Amino acid sequence: MAAGKLRVGVLASGQGSNLQALIDACADPSFPAEIVHVLSNVEGAYALERARRAGIPTALIRHREYSSREAFDAAVDACLREAGVEFVCLAGFMRLLSEGFVRGWDGRMINIHPSLLPSFKGLHTHAQALQAGVKVHGCTVHFVRPALDDGPVLAQAAVPVLPGDSADLLAARVLEQEHRIYPLALRLIAEGRAVVDGDVVRIDAPHAGQALVNPVAP
Ligand code: GRF
């Protein structure tokens, strides 16, 4: 374990493709962060398998075994702190987090959401985008605040909405960009180049557009 790297914990409930993007980024010795723990609330989540394959310690904390959201969150919090986690990445973690937990990691927890926030919060974001008829859709990495899918925006990537798109087609196009911006966002943080200033994130980077990824339209 290289000294001086930001110690990251990842929370994931599902397939973990964003976790994989972070694992792959961290495999570069020059990447300024390392994943020290992966935690899931879902037994059999493929994210746990990905972590094991990468040699990262894992934990399974089943939310159903806790009497309240706060009790579950306290167990997650204890696990992260025991592992020496300094920064948390939510990567498809399908649990609402209590206000106390979020406050405890204020400024030290980010999430990836499959829409250009503040548009299309919650679930089924691609269907929401199609329903709204937007021509540009995308994904967002943001700092986590207590309200759902709220918090200062750190990085975004845009994709075109094409004629004939289904929610699945759009999801696949967006997911590809998620895998680009999550490592980028984590790098900006770990290098101290992304600083929360009230409700916005100030990016100190050579190119102002570094936090916006715009793929070329096909
Ligand atoms: C992603 O679309 C992410 O934006 C959302 O949940 C999905 C997780 O996918 N929060 P994966 O488990 O990272 O593949």
Side-chain angles (χ1 to χ4, degrees):
M1 223 159 30
K5 294 196 179 208
L6 182 68
R7 293 173 62 83
V8 173
V10 180
L11 307 190
S13 303
Q15 59 168 344
S17 70
N18 278 289
L19 165 66
Q20 189 66 54
L22 295 175
I23 289 172
D24 293 347
C26 290
D28 177 348
S30 71
F31 197 78
E34 60 179 331
I35 302 172
V36 297
H37 214 77
V38 172
L39 190 154
S40 184
N41 60 318
V42 176
E43 189 161 9
Y46 191 59
L48 289 172
E49 178 61 22
R50 291 183 193 268
R52 284 186 209 108
R53 288 184 187 179
I56 300 167
T58 61
L60 171 65
I61 302 183
R62 299 179 182 86
H63 57 272
R64 291 186 202 290
E65 292 178 2
Y66 293 82
S67 57
S68 67
R69 189 176 301 283
E70 286 70 21
F72 169 74
D73 287 0
V76 172
D77 188 72
C79 178
L80 293 171
R81 291 184 193 279
E82 189 159 317
V85 167
E86 299 169 311
F87 199 91
V88 175
C89 290
L90 304 180
F93 189 62
M94 301 305 284
R95 297 290 302 165
L96 291 174
L97 295 165
S98 60
E99 179 159 355
F101 181 90
V102 173
R103 297 261 180 242
W105 291 93
D106 188 31
R108 294 185 300 137
M109 178 161 58
I110 54 177
N111 178 45
I112 187 151
H113 181 76
S115 78
L116 292 173
L117 289 173
S119 292
F120 313 135
K121 296 180 177 184
L123 298 174
H124 312 302
T125 55
H126 311 299
Q128 288 188 56
L130 289 174
Q131 174 73 27
V134 295
K135 304 301 178 231
V136 176
H137 183 43
C139 49
T140 302
V141 178
H142 65 98
F143 281 89
V144 178
R145 293 267 167 91
L148 179 68
D149 299 328
D150 193 33
V153 168
L154 176 48
Q156 293 187 307
V159 303
V161 179
L162 301 175
D165 264 349
S166 64
D168 285 349
L169 281 171
L170 199 46
R173 195 175 304 128
V174 170
L175 193 62
E176 202 177 313
Q177 301 310 317
E178 294 184 34
H179 300 159
R180 297 176 68 195
I181 61 166
Y182 217 177
L184 166 70
L186 184 57
R187 175 184 281 280
L188 287 172
I189 287 166
E191 292 178 346
R193 295 195 282 137
V195 176
V196 179
D197 179 6
D199 288 335
V200 300
V201 180
R202 307 266 174 228
I203 308 284
D204 173 19
H207 306 291
Q210 189 136 14
L212 171 67
V213 176
N214 261 324
V216 178

